[in-house]
Amino acid sequence: MGEVEVIHLWSTPRSLSTSLMYSFAQRDDMEVLDEPLYANFLRVTGYDRPYREELLSKMEPDGNKVIKEIIFAPGEKKFRFCKHIAKQKVPGLASDLMKKGRHFILIRNPLDILPSYDKVIPASFSELGFSELVSIYNELKELGRLPPIIDAAELQKNPEATLRGLCEELGIPFQHKMLKWEAGPKAIDGVWAPWWYKTVHRSTAFEAPRKYPLPFPFNLYDLLEQTIPLYNFLRRHVKQKSLLLMSPLPTPDLPVPANEKLLAWVGDEILPRDSAKVSVFDSVVQGGDSVWEGLRVYRGKIFKLDEHLDRLFDSSKALAFQNVPSREEVKDAIFRTLIRNGMFDNAHIRLSLTRGKKVTSGMSPQFNLYGCTLIVLAEWKPPVYDNSSGITLVTATTRRNSPNNLDSKIHHNNLLNNILAKIEGNNANAGDAIMLDKDGFVSETNATNIFLVKKGNVLTPHADYCLPGITRATVMDLVVKEKLILEERRISLSEFHTADEVWTTGTMGELTPVVKIDGRVIGDGQVGPVTRMLQNAYKKLTEESGVPIPTYTTK
């Protein structure tokens, strides 16, 4: 007899934990214990089971004795595998249980657990133990012993890859014999096996998942709503080793890593990034039926907030939205979101107002009976273009919408027209793409308004086929204040090719110099003096004006 290294499995019921126990029992260096804390759990909680009296008479009911004299007792093999159900970790157990040994967690989607759970006892939130499983994860994390997590679906889909990965995480060698076992009851089974193990007793290996799932018992729908978020929290921490759970692309790096953890407003509440979602019945999902604004935050103030809100409400009125939140409600949501995130400078807000959730899928606004959905997405985001050296543009073949089709004065979320042009720009490795109107005159880029300078005069296209941007209007005012001649008219593409200076305007990028269009160098290929002058004037304006964010104080 000698010291044994204990491996603890923590799971919810009906999660293939017994199959996993059988798998580890095949190893030549492993002994196993089937839920050694079960009797203590029944003693402490008083829960009833068909086998309660038999279990209490055959198993040690003192949990701390079990920990000291059974779980961590000397043994004849190098490892001891303990299968634990999360809810059996009740208060009063010795800290050694979590501080010693190697731990891992097995999870399973409640959609797969609930259809078969209540064959023996009724399903309930406490019976499933998802909250306890999350608590176990957090406790081990706080102890600096972050546990590997595997998903039952992954285990079924690719048992060998999953087990190899798990063994690697646990620091033990994989043994191929873990993939097979004999059918029938086992000596290691707990006394509850006749009630729960009938299916696993017929197995000889991890069985492939059903091609199609079992119907869900909708009397358990409320329980599903309670447990799915907890399962999803744990699932995000699965070390994805098989194709089942792996995205076809690697997890991308964020442009600003600090945005990995942010809070967004959706509907009437603030939520963490991964929980900030709209309903599949929302109009923005059903048909891009939404309006939006981009806002920028400078030194504790939101620049041109009221102008953007004016356009938001004009756009929603043009689209005949009903039950629109008030201006003060929208402002309050913006302020609360920024304050919660601590975003008071160098931040950008994507403000969206959708027609709202529908009672059934379909195009008609008559289905929108819940009111509008407000979304406030604030991110740490510097200007998105190179405003020092400038960008290049190409001309897209995709034409800008005519007011005959969809008026660009409505700042709507149906952006496919722009996206198609942006694809052309991406394919040409350009910063953006110029879009022409139906007659071949320049309208705007796929994301910004556009200006040119020729012989000291500033020109910009009419806002007939393009969005009358707020940054555009601000720059037009600055042009006049700087005593330059401003002309708003139809402008042909060749005029941009031969311009002395060109820049684009938008909340996301501010004033962005353009140094090349369709292979033609603009001016001398450098940022021009008028562009620099207006950039400086715009910067000064953002420093001096804006709507203050409540609670913000300069340090």
Side-chain angles (χ1 to χ4, degrees):
M1 301 285 283
E3 186 174 351
V4 173
E5 182 73 23
V6 178
I7 295 173
H8 302 273
L9 158 65
W10 298 95
S11 76
T12 57
R14 318 300 290 167
S15 295
L16 303 186
S17 57
T18 304
S19 295
L20 204 51
M21 179 181 72
Y22 289 173
S23 169
F24 274 83
Q26 306 313 303
R27 297 176 61 101
D28 53 27
D29 58 359
M30 190 80 59
E31 60 182 74
V32 301
L33 296 176
D34 191 5
E35 300 180 39
L37 294 169
Y38 204 161
N40 177 73
F41 168 73
L42 293 184
R43 178 184 66 82
V44 171
T45 63
Y47 280 14
D48 191 22
R49 293 291 186 271
Y51 41 81
R52 175 185 169 90
E53 296 306 318
E54 181 185 3
L55 189 153
L56 289 172
S57 67
K58 291 184 177 180
M59 291 184 70
E60 172 57 60
D62 185 327
N64 287 321
K65 272 191 177 181
V66 172
I67 292 170
K68 182 178 179 180
E69 300 175 8
I70 299 176
I71 292 177
F72 293 117
E76 296 181 355
K77 294 191 176 181
K78 185 175 182 180
F79 299 106
R80 178 176 293 131
F81 180 93
C82 291
K83 169 194 158 193
H84 301 294
I85 301 301
K87 64 188 176 187
Q88 294 172 9
K89 185 182 177 297
V90 294
L93 293 174
S95 61
D96 276 358
L97 179 65
M98 306 307 289
K99 291 180 177 178
K100 295 173 63 177
R102 311 174 195 186
H103 299 258
F104 75 98
I105 289 173
L106 172 67
I107 60 173
R108 193 180 189 191
N109 194 321
L111 278 168
D112 296 320
I113 294 174
L114 290 170
S116 65
Y117 187 81
D118 59 356
K119 292 181 180 179
V120 178
I121 53 175
S124 68
F125 186 79
S126 59
E127 284 289 354
L128 292 180
F130 272 94
S131 59
E132 288 84 356
L133 199 59
V134 171
S135 294
I136 287 166
Y137 171 83
N138 287 330
E139 182 177 351
L140 289 167
K141 182 179 180 181
E142 289 171 5
L143 288 170
R145 318 189 73 213
L146 196 65
I149 301 177
I150 61 172
D151 193 296
E154 182 180 12
L155 184 60
Q156 287 182 294
K157 182 73 173 181
N158 196 334
E160 183 171 349
T162 304
L163 288 173
R164 282 185 181 276
L166 176 60
C167 288
E168 181 181 346
E169 290 285 333
L170 294 172
I172 63 176
F174 170 75
Q175 292 186 5
H176 201 269
K177 60 181 70 176
M178 297 173 71
L179 299 173
K180 296 283 185 180
W181 54 83
E182 292 184 1
K186 314 287 188 292
I188 57 176
D189 290 344
V191 298
W192 51 89
W195 282 267
W196 292 107
Y197 292 1
K198 290 178 182 177
T199 300
V200 73
H201 283 164
R202 293 194 293 269
S203 71
T204 59
F206 293 102
E207 296 183 352
R210 296 171 178 267
K211 183 177 181 180
Y212 299 108
L214 293 170
F216 185 78
F218 278 85
N219 61 307
L220 300 178
Y221 188 83
D222 288 349
L223 186 53
L224 178 68
E225 284 194 311
Q226 296 169 35
T227 52
I228 275 285
L230 300 173
Y231 164 74
N232 285 335
F233 168 79
L234 293 168
R235 188 174 183 268
R236 288 199 295 272
H237 299 283
V238 171
K239 292 208 171 177
Q240 301 170 344
K241 296 194 175 289
S242 80
L243 291 176
L244 178 71
L245 296 178
M246 189 177 293
S247 166
L249 296 174
T251 302
D253 294 327
L254 299 181
V256 180
N259 288 326
E260 182 180 2
K261 295 180 180 178
L262 55 77
L263 301 167
W265 182 286
V266 181
D268 59 359
E269 61 182 334
I270 292 179
L271 297 164
R273 176 179 177 133
D274 286 338
S275 301
K277 300 170 183 175
V278 297
S279 168
V280 293
F281 286 96
D282 198 280
S283 290
V284 72
V285 178
Q286 295 275 321
D289 190 1
S290 174
V291 296
W292 70 281
E293 291 295 321
L295 302 162
R296 190 166 280 286
V297 179
Y298 299 92
R299 299 169 189 82
K301 294 180 289 187
I302 305 172
F303 189 60
K304 299 289 182 179
L305 173 60
D306 288 313
E307 290 87 340
H308 281 285
L309 292 183
D310 287 343
R311 190 170 64 184
L312 183 83
F313 288 111
D314 284 348
S315 294
S316 66
K317 186 174 183 179
L319 291 177
F321 281 12
Q322 299 292 319
N323 300 308
V324 176
S326 70
R327 191 182 191 92
E328 287 308 309
E329 286 173 325
V330 174
K331 276 189 176 182
D332 188 62
I334 293 170
F335 291 146
R336 287 175 178 272
T337 304
L338 290 172
I339 292 167
R340 285 289 192 189
N341 282 290
M343 292 182 179
F344 301 110
D345 190 27
N346 207 27
H348 179 271
I349 302 165
R350 174 82 174 211
L351 177 68
S352 298
L353 185 67
T354 85
R355 196 182 296 272
K357 191 169 65 171
K358 294 176 178 288
V359 293
T360 185
S361 62
M363 183 187 301
S364 175
Q366 291 180 330
F367 298 146
N368 290 83
L369 302 177
Y370 293 96
C372 293
T373 302
L374 178 66
I375 302 168
V376 184
L377 174 57
E379 295 179 277
W380 300 108
K381 185 173 288 188
V384 295
Y385 302 111
D386 183 349
N387 288 351
S388 297
S389 302
I391 63 170
T392 64
L393 298 177
V394 294
T395 302
T397 59
T398 303
R399 297 299 176 100
R400 195 68 180 94
N401 287 324
S402 162
N404 285 328
N405 305 114
L406 185 57
D407 192 350
S408 294
K409 292 180 178 63
I410 303 173
H411 203 200
H412 54 78
N413 280 64
N414 195 327
L415 298 175
L416 284 177
N417 181 242
N418 306 68
I419 291 168
L420 288 169
K422 180 60 176 175
I423 290 170
E424 294 187 65
N426 289 347
N427 289 341
N429 294 316
D432 267 332
I434 290 176
M435 301 183 73
L436 309 179
D437 65 23
K438 67 179 181 64
D439 295 320
F441 292 97
V442 171
S443 173
E444 60 179 349
T445 78
N446 56 272
T448 56
N449 295 121
I450 191 165
F451 291 75
L452 69 80
V453 177
K454 188 69 173 181
K455 296 182 178 179
N457 294 341
V458 178
L459 292 82
T460 193
H462 286 298
D464 292 333
Y465 291 81
C466 72
L467 176 75
I470 290 167
T471 308
R472 171 184 182 269
T474 303
V475 171
M476 291 170 75
D477 288 342
L478 291 175
V479 169
V480 174
K481 286 180 181 178
E482 295 295 336
K483 302 189 184 316
L484 298 170
I485 296 173
L486 174 67
E487 188 176 358
E488 188 179 9
R489 65 168 172 82
R490 302 178 95 183
I491 306 173
S492 64
L493 183 59
S494 64
E495 291 181 271
F496 275 93
H497 289 161
T498 59
D500 299 327
E501 300 179 44
V502 175
W503 68 80
T504 65
T505 61
T507 303
M508 287 274 281
E510 302 176 332
L511 271 76
T512 302
V514 177
V515 295
K516 186 182 289 187
I517 299 175
D518 298 327
R520 281 85 160 177
V521 174
I522 303 302
D524 60 2
Q526 304 298 315
V527 180
V530 177
T531 306
R532 286 286 186 225
M533 178 178 65
L534 291 171
Q535 282 182 323
N536 292 332
Y538 187 86
K539 183 174 184 290
K540 184 179 180 182
L541 188 63
T542 63
E543 292 171 351
E544 296 174 347
S545 62
V547 176
I549 301 167
T551 77
Y552 173 75
T553 56
T554 56
K555 296 181 180 179

